[in-house]
Amino acid sequence: MTYQRRVIEHAGYNAWISVMLTGIIMHLLIWMLYKILSSIEDSNDIVTINHKLFGKLLGNLINLAIVLYFVFGAFVKFKVYMEMIQVWLFPSMNFLPVSIVIALLVYYAVSGGIRSVTGISVWATIISLVSIIPQISLTFPFLHPMNLLPLLNHSASDILLSSKDMAFEYLGVETLLFLYPFVRTPEKSQKWAHFIMLLVTLLYLMILILAFMFFTEEQLRHTIWPTLNMIGIFEVPLLQRLEYMAISLWFIKIIAGISIFIWAACRGMKVAFHLRPRLSLIVFLTAITALCHFIIDHRTVERVSEIYSNIGVYFLYAYIPFVFLCVMIRKKLIKPI
Amino acid sequence: MVKNTFTYNAIRGNDMADNQKTEPRDMTQFLKQLKQSSDFKTIQLSIGDKQLSISYFKTLIDEKLLQSHVILPLQERALDLDFRQLEDLKTWIPIEDIEMTGQVESIQAKLLKGCAVATLDKEFCKYALIELASIEGLRKNNDTENEFSVVGPKVGFVESIDTNIGLLRAQINIPTLVVKEILVGTTSKTRVAIIYIDGVTNKRNVKTVEQRLEQIDYDVIFDTSQLDQFISDNSLTPFPLFLSTERRDRVVYALITGQVAVVSDGSPYFITGPSTLFDFFLSPEDYYLPWILGSFFRMIRIFGVIFSLFATSMYIAITTFHYEVIPRDLLEPLIFSRRNVPFPPLLEVLFLEITIEFLREAGARLPTKIGQTLGIVGGIVIGQATVLAGLTSNILVIIVAFSALASFATPIYKMSNAIRFLRFPMIFASSIWGALGLFIGIGFLLVHLTRLTSLGMPYLVPIHPLRVRDLKDSFIRPSYQFTNKRPSYLRPDSSVKYKPGKVKRKNDLDRE
């Protein structure tokens, strides 16, 4: 929802190239993830792979870091959404009750196991696919295609920097590290994973280009939630200011994201430290709700989400290739014996 | 799983004493017990040199049958000396179902189901059970009363299990239609039939149903819908996990797609399972109309459900929190209609919704003729009067009436009840946090739906888990050419229903 502004910070209106670039890198990462997860026998999630590669102690340290990273991700998602509600819907609301109710919902979803988590994600996917159609058709009269020109006026390094910012939007693929053992036919699923990645990239690209054609560059630099501003312009019979509805609809997607992250974290705790998932679930959710209650001002939230995005980028661009290399080397070493 | 049965099992301990009282060990004690009732009769007949006594419950048997088929042939041969033993009755009496037994339990069971017990005075411990059960008290007409359709058959079920199974057999004319009967209910000893097609229905589903039915410990089974609750996977849900229907075509359709049907004696309703959420929005009529129309009406129905679930809560969310959403042109009539209303939208909506619920409940309990009058009085007079009195706004009356109307569009009554109920949590959620609250409610609803299972099968299939190939017969009703396979999520033993021939229609320009 907010990526348009961040992405153009460096590359300006050439950022669509960065989006495509990030999409391609993500494909590479998915391929790596599948390779990592499928190449070591009898260990197909990241916890056991870490144990095998780095030993019990160091491995567990990394696992803990990964688990915390997921919880952190869930928190950031949650908080960013809360901010959006605060700005757009209820400026003077006491957020504690809402966050408790949402935490309960997440608890209900995650305690249903992988099946209900993926179920809510299916709904989220359906919603985002369905909601894009009216969005495109309604923006159509307001577009200025000439905004896209000139096509290339930024250096390659700018575009690369933007694509690093873009990676934040793709965070979530790493949940595959835990999801993998639950996939019944991994070979088939890889095809789907690539397909979905392509679809997501196209979606991002489409929304970005819509925003480019809708706003001028200077406008876009100062808009925090360009998508919402865009939606706010639409008028359909019976309703106007559709952004109020859009934000609420967004809720389902947020819940799906949070649930998957929390589920992955609980799963990690279970495999690595043999903790009862229900217990860690309760602990994580209380922590998130409490943190949400105490972190209030926008600057902190922004900083926190920046930290998260940086960690995420390193996680994706450094840790996964590193593990990939380790796994490959290990494979080479073991094979001759 | 079957949470209910645990409690019944717990009660079972106390009932042991009662059970023993109703199950006597020897015949004399049993007869003594029976003679307390005034409808228990014993008649004596003398045939040759033997004395035959026949005992029965006057109220349970067909007395005409007794006279014409038992007493008459026996009296005609009253002087016959050939009658030596009880087994001879089999050749004398023109009734096929005569059983010889000495066991008290089976005598008791049969006697209470409408058999006459014949015994010779000198031969103890040997009894003939003559089947004479009367079928009086059952209604003759078997029109579908609650699940009406304009096109298509109107054959429904009645309260007799044998008639019902006969109706089914008349349409599924293959030997592989299997009917398994068990007795359920400690007091009623109701016959419950599990029906499936061998070679089509997955055996595991049949087994699950059978096991769960056998686990039931309950006194009287009044209706199949009770069984539905006992054997459902989750009792903490407003959603029906089995489809219950009184239409024959529905049950036949369920059986041929590979589901299991269960019916209990004395109930005109069948339950079929495992069912998915979509099954509740199918109407047999979809299949009798051309597929384009069928699909359109099905989509109307699904839209109706969504509308009736969320219309009033949306109204609350918008009028309480997000008035920016209302366009300027609409704002004026809305303000105008709400000008005299002294309540917040929540109270206004609750007032009207509860009125509608009263009307529904009263309408359902009253005889048809009065019910209609009530509908007019309630709908028009009360609606108009409340608006004039300034208790609710015009627009809200329209919305509430619409959503009530839309909720009737669901073909299965149980589902429309669930939707009726679910409106209220949505109303409260949206009155607290507006659209966000509404979507929190939707979130809970979606998670709840994904967690539900029916006989172990996910309730939301084919949406989740996604089965693209089975999606075709969910939102739309495709042409018969494409519905020749059974849905894969039922895991049927054979998946092909029929083989459609290739249709070659030349859409030609003057036949080219």
Side-chain angles (χ1 to χ4, degrees), chain B residues 343 345-358 382-383 385-387 391-392 396 400 424:
Chain B
F343 308 127
L346 171 67
L347 281 183
E348 192 190 350
V349 166
L350 275 185
F351 177 77
L352 260 192
E353 286 278 4
I354 287 173
T355 314
I356 289 267
E357 291 305 313
F358 283 157
I382 296 183
T386 43
V387 171
L391 292 178
T392 55
L396 183 65
V400 169
F424 289 94

Side-chain angles (χ1 to χ4, degrees), chain A residues 8-74:
Chain A
I8 63 162
E9 216 163 285
H10 297 286
Y13 268 24
N14 288 160
W16 54 274
I17 305 173
S18 326
V19 173
M20 288 209 294
L21 203 65
T22 323
I24 292 164
I25 296 171
M26 285 300 146
H27 276 292
L28 199 68
L29 275 176
I30 286 185
W31 174 77
M32 274 186 196
L33 282 174
Y34 270 95
K35 266 274 178 289
I36 292 172
L37 292 164
S38 61
S39 53
I40 299 183
E41 292 288 316
D42 70 79
S43 59
N44 42 15
D45 63 26
I46 190 68
V47 172
T48 37
I49 289 174
N50 275 338
H51 281 167
K52 285 237 167 89
L53 290 179
F54 310 111
K56 195 94 187 161
L57 194 70
L58 193 61
N60 261 348
L61 216 61
I62 295 174
N63 288 335
L64 187 67
I66 292 176
V67 165
L68 286 181
Y69 161 76
F70 277 121
V71 178
F72 191 43

Side-chain angles (χ1 to χ4, degrees), chain A residues 202-268:
Chain A
L202 281 181
L203 267 183
Y204 277 133
L205 203 62
M206 210 136 63
I207 295 172
L208 187 72
I209 289 178
L210 280 184
F212 283 178
M213 295 202 274
F214 193 86
F215 300 99
T216 63
E217 193 168 337
E218 213 39 51
Q219 261 179 331
L220 195 53
R221 272 186 206 283
H222 295 103
T223 321
I224 302 183
W225 288 285
T227 316
L228 286 181
N229 285 347
M230 248 158 68
I231 294 173
I233 300 295
F234 307 150
E235 262 185 52
V236 290
L238 285 180
L239 299 172
Q240 62 177 16
R241 301 294 299 273
L242 286 173
E243 73 268 30
Y244 289 87
M245 297 296 124
I247 293 172
S248 315
L249 197 64
W250 209 260
F251 176 75
I252 302 291
K253 293 194 213 180
I254 296 295
I255 282 298
I258 296 175
S259 304
I260 287 197
F261 276 169
I262 296 278
W263 177 84
C266 291
R267 172 86 198 153

Side-chain angles (χ1 to χ4, degrees), chain B residues 284 286-289 291 477-484 498 500:
Chain B
D286 296 349
Y287 295 89
Y288 303 144
L289 294 172
W291 72 270
R477 199 284 277 178
S479 157
Y480 279 122
Q481 241 199 314
F482 306 107
T483 52
N484 65 326
Y498 55 89

Side-chain angles (χ1 to χ4, degrees), chain B residues 160-226:
Chain B
S160 145
I161 191 170
D162 292 317
T163 317
N164 289 347
I165 293 171
L167 281 171
L168 273 187
R169 277 215 189 271
Q171 203 157 53
I172 305 185
N173 234 321
I174 43 171
T176 43
L177 180 72
V178 182
V179 178
K180 268 190 193 168
E181 248 183 51
I182 56 172
L183 292 182
V184 180
T186 47
T187 306
S188 66
K189 304 255 195 290
T190 311
R191 291 162 62 201
V192 173
I194 306 164
I195 306 164
Y196 62 95
I197 299 181
D198 196 29
V200 172
T201 313
N202 191 319
K203 287 282 166 347
R204 233 185 43 213
N205 289 340
V206 180
K207 209 174 231 170
T208 323
V209 170
E210 213 176 334
Q211 271 172 1
R212 289 189 189 176
L213 281 175
E214 273 162 5
Q215 272 179 9
I216 295 174
D217 192 350
Y218 191 68
D219 48 0
V220 178
I221 306 294
F222 295 99
D223 193 81
T224 321
S225 47
Q226 278 178 306

Side-chain angles (χ1 to χ4, degrees), chain B residues 430-501:
Chain B
S430 60
S431 75
I432 302 173
W433 290 315
L436 176 68
L438 179 60
F439 276 90
I440 291 178
I442 293 175
F444 270 105
L445 190 64
L446 290 180
V447 173
H448 180 70
L449 278 173
T450 51
R451 290 185 64 161
L452 284 181
T453 55
S454 166
L455 285 183
M457 187 187 81
Y459 195 52
L460 272 185
V461 85
I463 289 188
H464 170 74
L466 192 62
R467 298 272 175 277
V468 181
R469 209 160 291 163
D470 302 324
L471 262 179
K472 62 186 174 205
D473 197 5
S474 50
F475 290 104
I476 59 163
R477 199 284 277 178
S479 157
Y480 279 122
Q481 241 199 314
F482 306 107
T483 52
N484 65 326
K485 292 241 174 82
R486 300 196 168 87
S488 64
Y489 50 78
L490 289 174
R491 299 180 195 287
D493 288 350
S494 72
S495 67
V496 178
K497 265 207 300 199
Y498 55 89
K499 295 190 187 87

